[in-house]
Amino acid sequence: MEPPSYEEARLHPPALHIERYNIPPPPSYHVSLHSPPTPPPTYGEAGVSSSVGGRQTQPVVTQPQPVPVALTYLGDVPAVVRCPHCHRVVTTKVTYLPGTAACCMCLLLFMMGFICGCCLIPFMVRSLQNAHHSCPHCENHLYTNSR
């Protein structure tokens, strides 16, 4: 039995369950979009304003100042601290140098037989290195986060 031709298929009414899948086409690209009659308020207008002497004053919003952390809480990323040498609030400059963890891992890999330079990989892994924090202004050493 052969399937019906296109002309024969058009003569038959569509199945009832197909009607629920009739989705209207998307809107035309040439239809203009609805735009609001007035622009949105500015940041100053949207904030809470107060009235002083019949005059509107806008609130002043400022960024909070960074709070310096204690030197003992420094990790392996730069942080805001107060330098004990020059007494400035600075973001520390961090240099990474191989520490005990890198040397131990190198020795362990060497003993496992990775002699062809693979045992030197721990010296390039940042998470195995010590973080040395220093002041960018006076260049004094502040703290070492050891691994």
Side-chain angles (χ1 to χ4, degrees), residues 15-18 24 36 44 77 79-80 96 98 129 147:
L16 295 176
H17 67 279
I18 295 178
V77 295
V80 176
Y96 299 94
Q129 297 179 355
R147 299 276 176 191

Side-chain angles (χ1 to χ4, degrees), residues 1-145:
M1 182 166 151
E2 295 182 20
S5 65
Y6 286 109
E7 291 80 22
E8 290 176 0
R10 288 186 186 155
L11 296 175
H12 296 292
L16 295 176
H17 67 279
I18 295 178
E19 291 178 4
R20 66 178 162 178
Y21 296 111
N22 285 342
I23 300 171
S28 172
Y29 289 108
H30 301 293
V31 175
S32 64
L33 297 174
H34 172 70
S35 61
T38 59
T42 62
Y43 287 112
E45 294 170 352
V48 178
S49 61
S50 61
S51 177
V52 177
R55 205 175 115 209
Q56 291 283 336
T57 60
Q58 301 297 329
V60 177
V61 180
T62 59
Q63 287 280 5
Q65 294 298 320
V67 177
V69 297
L71 293 178
T72 55
Y73 292 116
L74 292 175
D76 57 346
V77 295
V80 176
V81 296
R82 181 175 297 277
C83 178
H85 305 286
C86 64
H87 305 290
R88 291 183 176 178
V89 176
V90 296
T91 301
T92 60
K93 181 175 76 173
V94 180
T95 54
Y96 299 94
L97 298 172
T100 308
C103 293
C104 291
M105 186 63 74
C106 175
L107 182 64
L108 180 69
L109 290 173
F110 180 75
M111 289 176 23
M112 290 176 60
F114 294 109
I115 304 172
C116 301
C118 294
C119 60
L120 300 177
I121 291 175
F123 291 113
M124 295 174 243
V125 177
R126 181 165 289 181
S127 62
L128 296 175
Q129 297 179 355
N130 294 343
H132 294 269
H133 293 266
S134 61
C135 176
H137 291 286
C138 64
E139 299 294 328
N140 283 319
H141 179 75
L142 299 177
Y143 184 74
T144 300
N145 184 22

